[in-house]
Amino acid sequence: MSYLEYNTKQMPSGLRKVLYLNWPLIFLLIMVASYGFVMLYSVAGGSLTPWADPQIKRFGIGLLVMFVVAFTPLWFWRSIAGIGYIVALLLLLGVEFFGTVGMGAKRWLLIGPFRLQPSELAKITTILALAAYYDWLGVKKVSHPLWVLVGALIALLPTLLVLRQPDLGTAMLIAAGGGVVIFAAGVHWAYFAALFGTIGGLVTAVMQSRGTEWQLLKDYQFRRIDSFLDPTLDPLGAGYHINQSMIALGSGGWSGRGFMEGTQARLNFLPEKHTDFIFTTLAEEFGFVGASSLLLLYMMILAVCLLTAIRTTNRFGALLVMGVIGNFFLYFAVNMAMVMGLAPVVGVPLPLVSYGGSAMIVLMVGFGLVHSAQIHRARLPS
Amino acid sequence: MKRSEQEKELSRRTIGRRGLVIGGLQLAFAGTLLWRLREMQLNQSEEFRLLAEENRINLRLLPPVRGLILDRNGVLLAGNEQNYRVVIKRDDVGDIDLVLGRLAQLIPLTEDDIERTRRDMLRNRPFVPVTVAERLSWEEISRVAANAPALPGVTPEMGLSRLYPLRQDTAHVVGYVGPVSERDLEALETPDPVLMIPRFQIGKSGVERMAEDRLRGRAGSQRVEVNSVGRVMRELDRVEGTPGANVHLTIDAKLQNYALERLHGQSAAAVVVDVTNGDILALASGPSFDPNMFVRGISTTNFNELLNNDYRPLVNKTVQGMYPPGSTFKMVTGLAALEDGVTDGQETVFCPGHMDVSGNRFHCWKRGGHGRVGLVSALAESCDVYFYEMAQRCGIDKINAMSTRLGLGIRYDLPITSVAGGLNPTREWKRNNRNAEWRIGDTVNASIGQGFVLSTPLQLAVLTARLATNRAVLPRLVRDPLERSDRELASLDLRPEWLRMIRQGMNQTVNDRRGTAYSSRVVADGQTMAGKTGTSQVFSITRAEREAGIRRQEDLPWNRRNHALFVSYAPYDNPRYAVSVVVEHGGGGSSAATPIGRDIMLAALNDASPPLSAYPAPQRNRIEFEQREMEQRLRRPEDMRISRA
């Protein structure tokens, strides 16, 4: 689909675009971000510094970025999808060779005064590339094995490069965004069944081989898997944090211990309380009411986006929105599951709430694309 | 490439369908999260709340103030002193070397102190206060406080630590405290949690140890909120503990001080007992040691010095030291014979200076013999042969029975450590311990307190008190200040006429020109002293030595010389105190132990200052000189703090 295809008469232009923005989405985003501001104020002991104030500013910048992305015509995003993808891949390779090391992983590239985290960029470009690819491919050829292989490779290349850094959390998000686009594009169920079947089979085989003569991993590797799956086996390491997180969360009760009254957070029993464990602090201080309402807001964001995807006649735009949905959902679901002790400890922050700049901007770019798809969808002439 | 409407519609429908599938899956997962949230926050909230409180709240024990130990007049024997110390926190100190350097200009700090402080600071968490110096004077602590702005992180603090103001005077009785050791904890089934307080001290010996339960008190507690690294954020509440109870001893600190100083330079023991109620007024074991050294942590050098000293300062010789009682045992033999009816006491025995018993010759201390002696003169002149004869007549069993009745061979239940029982040797004892049958020679030896017989100085004082009163005097070290009336002591039921002879013998020992202690008689009215000397051999004299001529005691090495003993009571006609003195390897009883016994007795009778007039006129010049010399060493009354408690 080229830009010639767009019927400019059916599209809003200029300032009229503002009317076609996804206003419920904007409202929900501000709500969620406000949860973040309140919690960052609380964990700083009732202070705007060092977290709440920069976070508010970043969210403001994020909103601006979102509007810019939203008002940019969709065809522009489609036309740069391929280049963007390749640039992101090159940057990831750059990290591989020239990256700087921090927190035990190589994630950043220093370009002049800027510290770039290409894996964040790859989240968006992978979705863009896959959406463009399936738009180009058309709906009939998607299940052909060769074309499936191409789509899978587009998703896997950045995933594997990020996994090597190692950054399991971001790799999962990239894979999830890509996977959802491939699934939504209409690739046959059988491929997914085969994929999950193979993964399940492999895992079963590896775990079953334990203790036998032909076991597939070394004993210490099995022990690492054990403590990854059940942090309580490692009570002084990761298990300590999860345990403290569950105590904090559970002690919140129905209505919480009160704003800035959470003992676990205030007395530093919670680690990383402004980033990965901010949901725990929320649940401790505002209880079930606070925690479940945030979950509800997240689900509403997903619902609003899903509605946009379904109503868009533009295949590229719809697939793009689905990718953002897949990415965003896994983002908060993994974080919440982790702090509740349902999932292993993976360093994934809570989207829009946790303190963090680049992740926030990338998320807002994603939602900007959702707006763009909403604004620039082909509307039937009235 | 233009896409057909049909294809567009297919694309839209596929995406719509698949989008709903994805949305459904996400909804299901969100439901799981919600369910988990509800499970934890609504159903298990209580348990988690409890765990959070456990995290946050720390129970701290507040050490109780230890009870005081006082003498019979309320003089402080063991108290608690304000201990000023300086602590430092790495958190606030900034430049450690700079601050420690400044501190060293204000208070005495050695290189070691500074090095240890720096090590402790780096080893502990930054907010843990580390002690830089302890036991500072008020001036020193004031200097630190005045310079506080230049000493960031440095805080002057006050605590309590044990102090024994009379130092070595009551070391063996009161004992000392020390830090809780692993062994102390293992010995207890359920250790008092207060023992876990760092630097908490418990009684290690003497009354401090035996009356630990009364002295310790009960710990208070304090609930504090701590953060994840254990730093105290605030106090939540506090329960005050109960201070330990005071213990009142029967000891008279002044007399104790006199007795110990009178033993100066000797390895010796002296005991003063109130014959009317068994109160132990003095329990002196010389040389002594300063128990404060143990509280502060004694250095290896000092400890080894105490341990390797020939005079054994760490041993409480009054209750722990067991000595052959020698001639002081003769009253026992005499009474045994009287009770058995083998003599009436008036009957005389001829002493040629020795006696042959089943082929062995037993000598009297007087080579030429005493001639004919009855019980009274045998005691006064300490004739051995008389008692050899009596012992053979009545036998060892009767002697043992009388010995036990008079308080020997019994382990007294006193609140001090290592109280020994002495030994009244029986036939059975010898069979079990020496693997030999009792022989008549053993009885002969026992009759004059030699051979296997062993007694402690305290037992000898009790023996004397019992002879003086005909009552079963039991020694007592702790008295309940609330107890008004003195306890009734049971009668020994010894016939008055027997005791009259024994007492007369003891009277003549001291006051008769022929008595062995005549030179130590007391001439003051109403303070007449009766007593008995004793000399006990440490090594038996071999035949070869005897043929070579008995060497003079002074020529023997110190540790081979005889022990010198003296027991006495006074006033003769109305007994008040019994005194026993043992001078280890002091040579002859009358020369080494007797003057000490007399002086201590006079001190007991005259508020620790024997009047010159009580001494026989020819001795007064020498005594006056001795007294003046001793006064230098005696503790002044103002040093004895009367506690208000």
Side-chain angles (χ1 to χ4, degrees):
Chain A
M1 189 169 73
S2 72
Y3 80 97
L4 289 171
E5 234 183 297
Y6 288 94
N7 185 340
T8 46
K9 286 190 183 125
Q10 291 174 2
M11 300 266 176
S13 59
L15 277 178
R16 280 173 58 84
K17 286 184 179 180
V18 174
L19 295 174
Y20 290 88
L21 279 171
N22 192 339
W23 282 105
L25 179 60
I26 294 170
F27 175 73
L28 287 167
L29 289 177
I30 292 172
M31 287 280 288
V32 169
S34 304
Y35 270 67
F37 305 150
V38 170
M39 291 324 296
L40 289 172
Y41 179 81
S42 169
V43 295
S47 163
L48 284 173
T49 52
W51 298 312
D53 185 55
Q55 181 84 345
I56 291 169
K57 287 178 182 147
R58 279 175 194 159
F59 184 67
I61 295 170
L63 278 177
L64 282 179
V65 170
M66 182 179 82
F67 287 130
V68 170
V69 173
F71 295 145
T72 307
L74 201 56
W75 57 261
F76 173 79
W77 295 118
R78 185 180 182 276
S79 58
I80 65 153
I83 297 164
Y85 180 76
I86 288 163
V87 167
L89 268 192
L90 288 175
L91 286 173
L92 283 175
L93 281 170
V95 168
E96 184 72 28
F97 295 112
F98 313 109
T100 51
V101 179
M103 316 251 281
K106 247 203 247 181
R107 290 181 191 172
W108 292 280
L109 263 186
L110 290 173
I111 301 174
F114 299 105
R115 217 172 51 148
L116 198 72
Q117 198 176 340
S119 55
E120 288 292 337
L121 184 65
K123 281 186 204 163
I124 297 293
T125 57
T126 307
I127 295 169
L128 275 173
L130 278 167
Y133 167 67
Y134 281 108
D135 185 29
W136 167 78
L137 194 60
V139 78
K140 287 184 180 150
K141 284 181 272 184
V142 287
S143 291
H144 190 285
L146 184 68
W147 300 120
V148 171
L149 188 67
V150 171
L153 276 179
I154 293 173
L156 274 179
L157 275 175
T159 306
L160 292 176
L161 281 171
V162 172
L163 204 54
R164 267 191 62 85
Q165 291 181 353
D167 185 350
L168 182 57
T170 310
M172 275 171 61
L173 296 183
I174 293 171
V180 168
V181 175
I182 296 172
F183 180 74
V187 173
H188 200 276
W189 297 95
Y191 288 103
F192 291 92
L195 177 68
F196 287 116
T198 311
I199 292 171
L202 266 175
V203 169
T204 316
V206 167
M207 297 314 280
Q208 285 296 316
S209 74
R210 185 175 194 175
T212 63
E213 285 170 20
W214 44 275
Q215 71 177 21
L216 297 167
L217 294 175
K218 297 263 189 321
D219 279 335
Y220 77 90
Q221 288 172 317
F222 275 114
R223 278 197 296 275
R224 272 195 203 167
I225 292 173
D226 284 345
S227 64
F228 178 73
L229 293 176
D230 184 0
T232 52
L233 292 177
D234 180 18
L236 293 175
Y240 174 81
H241 296 329
I242 285 303
N243 200 25
Q244 293 299 344
S245 169
M246 286 172 67
I247 290 172
L249 206 137
S251 67
W254 170 255
S255 59
R257 310 206 62 174
F259 182 50
M260 305 214 297
E261 295 289 324
T263 59
Q264 291 281 101
R266 195 161 49 77
L267 300 171
N268 280 332
F269 288 101
L270 280 182
E272 302 288 327
K273 56 191 176 186
H274 61 295
T275 57
D276 290 5
F277 286 88
I278 199 162
F279 183 66
T280 311
T281 316
L282 172 76
E284 187 188 21
E285 300 196 345
F286 295 101
F288 183 73
V289 176
S292 58
S293 65
L294 182 62
L295 184 59
L296 185 70
L297 285 175
Y298 277 134
M299 292 311 285
M300 282 166 76
I301 289 177
L302 287 180
V304 165
C305 292
L306 192 61
L307 213 61
T308 302
I310 290 171
R311 282 168 57 194
T312 304
T313 49
N314 184 318
R315 184 169 166 77
F316 171 69
L319 290 174
L320 188 60
V321 174
M322 286 310 294
V324 171
I325 289 173
N327 186 303
F328 184 69
F329 172 76
L330 205 71
Y331 216 142
F332 72 79
V334 165
N335 177 273
M336 287 185 180
M338 172 181 84
V339 300
M340 286 186 221
L342 280 179
V345 177
V346 185
V348 177
L350 195 62
L352 298 174
V353 178
S354 285
Y355 180 75
S358 49
M360 163 91 80
I361 300 296
V362 169
L363 274 164
M364 296 309 274
V365 169
F367 287 115
L369 291 172
V370 174
H371 283 297
S372 184
Q374 161 106 355
I375 294 167
H376 302 102
R377 75 169 197 232
R379 288 183 172 77
L380 296 175
S382 47
Chain B
M1 181 179 76
K2 183 101 173 141
R3 202 160 278 159
S4 67
E5 280 303 316
Q6 190 195 352
E7 206 177 319
K8 271 188 183 174
E9 191 51 34
L10 181 62
S11 165
R12 244 185 72 131
R13 282 229 300 279
T14 310
I15 291 172
R17 217 170 36 231
R18 298 251 166 141
L20 287 177
V21 169
I22 286 166
L25 286 173
Q26 292 177 342
L27 202 62
F29 194 85
T32 312
L33 291 178
L34 198 69
W35 166 81
R36 173 74 167 182
L37 211 53
R38 185 180 154 271
E39 198 62 21
M40 287 173 72
Q41 294 201 291
L42 303 185
N43 294 353
Q44 300 170 18
S45 164
E46 287 305 308
E47 291 116 86
F48 284 118
R49 181 70 65 97
L50 209 68
L51 288 171
E53 294 293 284
E54 268 174 32
N55 264 344
R56 159 178 97 95
I57 293 168
N58 213 330
L59 197 69
R60 303 195 160 203
L61 288 171
L62 303 168
V65 178
R66 197 174 174 83
L68 307 176
I69 301 177
L70 307 165
D71 92 332
R72 64 188 300 115
N73 300 314
V75 172
L76 192 67
L77 303 181
N80 304 306
E81 87 179 312
Q82 310 270 32
N83 175 9
Y84 297 106
R85 55 174 178 258
V86 167
V87 297
I88 190 165
K89 278 193 216 170
R90 175 151 57 96
D91 237 3
D92 318 319
V93 76
D95 187 341
I96 297 179
D97 295 303
L98 179 76
V99 172
L100 284 179
R102 284 179 186 163
L103 205 54
Q105 293 172 356
L106 299 171
I107 55 175
L109 283 182
T110 64
E111 276 303 310
D112 281 355
D113 289 336
I114 293 175
E115 209 31 63
R116 179 190 50 78
T117 307
R118 188 179 292 124
R119 209 178 46 234
D120 287 356
M121 278 167 82
L122 295 176
R123 197 186 296 144
N124 284 302
R125 293 195 183 132
F127 55 86
V128 174
V130 169
T131 308
V132 186
E134 275 195 288
R135 293 172 195 284
L136 298 172
S137 68
W138 174 245
E139 287 75 29
E140 286 163 342
I141 206 82
S142 314
R143 276 206 294 277
V144 173
N147 289 287
L151 301 165
V154 174
T155 332
E157 267 191 10
M158 200 194 72
L160 288 177
S161 64
R162 203 63 161 165
L163 178 74
Y164 303 103
L166 302 190
R167 311 219 293 210
Q168 76 271 21
D169 285 9
T170 52
H172 295 111
V173 182
V174 170
Y176 51 84
V177 296
V180 184
S181 69
E182 288 298 318
R183 263 177 57 201
D184 294 329
L185 289 176
E186 277 165 20
L188 297 165
E189 226 164 83
T190 46
D192 187 339
V194 73
L195 299 182
M196 304 299 188
I197 297 177
R199 306 204 303 185
F200 190 77
Q201 298 202 307
I202 59 167
K204 291 287 180 180
S205 77
V207 173
E208 288 276 32
R209 175 166 166 187
M210 303 303 280
E212 174 68 25
D213 292 346
R214 276 175 68 180
L215 290 165
R216 188 188 295 161
R218 286 232 307 281
S221 63
Q222 178 195 28
R223 290 196 323 143
V224 290
E225 186 179 83
V226 295
N227 70 3
S228 61
V229 286
R231 184 203 299 264
V232 176
M233 308 305 280
R234 64 195 164 116
E235 181 181 289
L236 299 173
D237 54 45
R238 166 194 280 260
V239 180
E240 293 298 337
T242 336
N246 294 346
V247 170
H248 298 256
L249 299 186
T250 58
I251 295 287
D252 179 336
K254 238 160 115 182
L255 185 61
Q256 173 81 12
N257 176 242
Y258 182 91
L260 190 65
E261 288 308 331
R262 188 62 187 81
L263 301 179
H264 182 81
Q266 307 265 31
S267 176
V271 179
V272 181
V273 170
D274 185 332
V275 299
T276 60
N277 54 19
D279 279 1
I280 300 172
L281 297 174
L283 205 58
S285 175
S288 186
F289 61 93
D290 185 354
N292 294 304
M293 287 199 296
F294 285 85
V295 182
R296 286 163 203 186
I298 189 166
S299 70
T300 322
T301 325
N302 284 346
F303 187 69
N304 283 337
E305 222 166 81
L306 290 175
L307 210 59
N308 299 330
N309 190 328
D310 280 343
Y311 285 10
R312 295 173 300 154
L314 292 174
V315 175
N316 183 0
K317 296 176 185 112
T318 58
V319 296
Q320 221 177 327
M322 298 201 289
Y323 308 91
S327 299
T328 58
F329 191 76
K330 284 174 179 166
M331 287 81 84
V332 178
T333 311
L335 272 171
L338 286 169
E339 195 183 48
D340 200 32
V342 294
T343 183
D344 59 1
Q346 310 296 327
E347 173 210 9
T348 57
V349 168
F350 182 74
C351 166
H354 60 83
M355 177 182 248
D356 293 317
V357 181
S358 60
N360 286 321
R361 173 158 289 194
F362 290 84
H363 291 270
C364 186
W365 69 270
K366 197 168 176 183
R367 300 301 306 271
H370 290 92
R372 300 213 73 87
V373 284
L375 176 57
V376 173
S377 50
L379 281 172
E381 296 171 47
S382 205
C383 172
D384 293 336
V385 170
Y386 178 87
F387 295 97
Y388 294 157
E389 173 65 27
M390 291 304 146
Q392 287 176 72
R393 289 190 198 170
C394 68
I396 187 67
D397 299 338
K398 291 282 172 1
I399 294 176
N400 272 334
M402 182 55 69
S403 176
T404 308
R405 198 160 156 195
L406 290 170
L408 302 186
I410 305 168
R411 197 188 162 278
Y412 299 119
D413 183 26
L414 292 175
I416 32 180
T417 24
S418 331
V419 177
L423 178 63
N424 286 344
T426 60
R427 295 168 199 279
E428 199 190 352
W429 175 87
K430 192 178 177 194
R431 216 175 294 128
N432 293 339
N433 291 277
R434 290 289 185 273
N435 202 19
E437 283 306 312
W438 189 267
R439 292 185 307 170
I440 189 69
D442 296 326
T443 307
V444 172
N445 270 331
S447 73
I448 57 158
Q450 290 284 167
F452 301 119
V453 187
L454 290 173
S455 303
T456 65
L458 174 66
Q459 285 174 334
L460 293 177
V462 171
L463 161 79
T464 314
R466 288 187 176 196
L467 292 172
T469 57
N470 197 14
R471 294 200 176 273
V473 175
L474 269 178
R476 177 167 75 171
L477 191 60
V478 175
R479 59 186 292 170
D480 187 346
L482 300 176
E483 196 182 332
R484 284 270 160 262
S485 62
D486 264 322
R487 58 193 172 154
E488 196 60 39
L489 292 168
S491 172
L492 282 177
D493 288 326
L494 293 166
R495 278 210 206 134
E497 60 263 33
W498 302 341
L499 279 175
R500 204 174 302 127
M501 280 187 277
I502 296 289
R503 288 171 188 162
Q504 206 183 334
M506 292 175 78
N507 185 23
Q508 286 189 15
T509 301
V510 183
N511 298 309
D512 189 276
R513 202 166 284 280
R514 281 172 303 173
T516 49
Y518 180 66
S519 60
S520 293
R521 66 196 177 280
V522 173
V523 299
D525 280 345
Q527 300 194 4
T528 317
M529 180 174 76
K532 183 74 195 78
T533 58
T535 307
S536 62
Q537 284 173 10
V538 184
F539 290 90
S540 52
I541 300 166
T542 60
R543 181 178 289 269
E545 279 173 328
R546 196 177 294 281
E547 275 162 11
I550 301 170
R551 282 196 286 169
R552 281 157 34 101
Q553 284 285 313
E554 289 76 8
D555 300 337
L556 290 169
W558 175 77
N559 63 1
R560 289 194 53 134
R561 290 181 204 162
N562 295 333
H563 292 318
L565 297 93
F566 183 64
V567 297
S568 61
Y569 67 88
Y572 175 63
D573 38 11
N574 180 26
R576 209 39 239 288
Y577 303 111
V579 172
S580 73
V581 174
V582 174
V583 181
E584 284 189 346
H585 310 295
S590 41
S591 57
T594 315
I596 297 176
R598 170 180 64 177
D599 289 351
I600 292 175
M601 178 60 84
L602 283 171
L605 289 167
N606 298 287
D607 193 27
S609 54
L612 214 52
S613 59
Y615 295 90
Q619 299 177 12
R620 286 182 193 159
N621 276 340
R622 183 171 50 82
I623 296 288
E624 196 181 357
F625 175 75
E626 280 174 14
Q627 282 186 350
R628 219 175 287 145
E629 190 210 33
M630 192 164 150
E631 243 161 62
Q632 313 286 320
R633 299 200 304 267
L634 285 181
R635 217 168 279 288
R636 270 172 267 281
E638 59 265 29
D639 294 338
M640 305 217 176
R641 234 164 62 218
I642 306 280
S643 169
R644 274 164 289 146

